[in-house]
Amino acid sequence: MMTRRVHARPVSVVFDLDGTLAETAPDLAGAMNAVLAASGRPALPVAHVRHMVGRGARVLIETGFAATGGPVDSSRMDELFEMFLKHYESHVADTSHLFNGARATVEALGADGHLLGICTNKPIGLTELLLAKLDFRAPFKSVRGADSATYRKPDPRHLFDVIDEMGGDRTRAVLVGDSETDAKTARAAGVPCILVSFGYTEIPVRDLGGDAIIDGFDELPDAIGRLFR
């Protein structure tokens, strides 16, 4: 059962999106496979794509091509990137959904006075579209995507932008994520990182160096409480 607590000083709780708040791998795999098919490459199973997500669409395309017969032709990257984005935009929430407990926990944290934001390497237009489709934009005071600035995770400025836009305190902030990128971002920013065990990472989550690991969203409020006593 989720423990409710009221903090005298709010914490800025910043979430990654793909693999942290939402299960998006099937729709991302659909876009990846559409790009591969157009180049005569075989499709990749969703289970494979789950471990490729987190560093942006261009890296996903590069990794997908490397896994299906050889590196991508760099001269075609812009074309393939646009193909990926067009397909994904049309299917952004065909099967994507929030992880169990994500909505209730986020809403409870907001009700307890915490500041809530999203810092993702998904393009901001697709991020806002997905959140709208999931009816999950309202809890967040700041949402920043891969193209919201000239830098992105693991650059700590990406995280700082979210915290600052919310009016938060950088010394009372935590990043909730699922991947090496999130762990590196938090470390570079000097803020703690809570990692989910059910996300998208090639490296075992316990090897990523997070400050806490949760197996479900019902554990998140207590994990935050332990970090900010």
Side-chain angles (χ1 to χ4, degrees), residues 20-38:
T20 300
L21 288 171
E23 170 68 281
T24 57
D27 292 328
L28 288 166
M32 177 76 265
N33 286 330
V35 171
L36 291 172

Side-chain angles (χ1 to χ4, degrees), residues 143-157:
V143 176
R144 306 280 291 182
D147 49 352
S148 294
T150 57
Y151 42 81
R152 63 182 186 178
K153 295 187 297 184
D155 191 314
R157 292 176 295 174

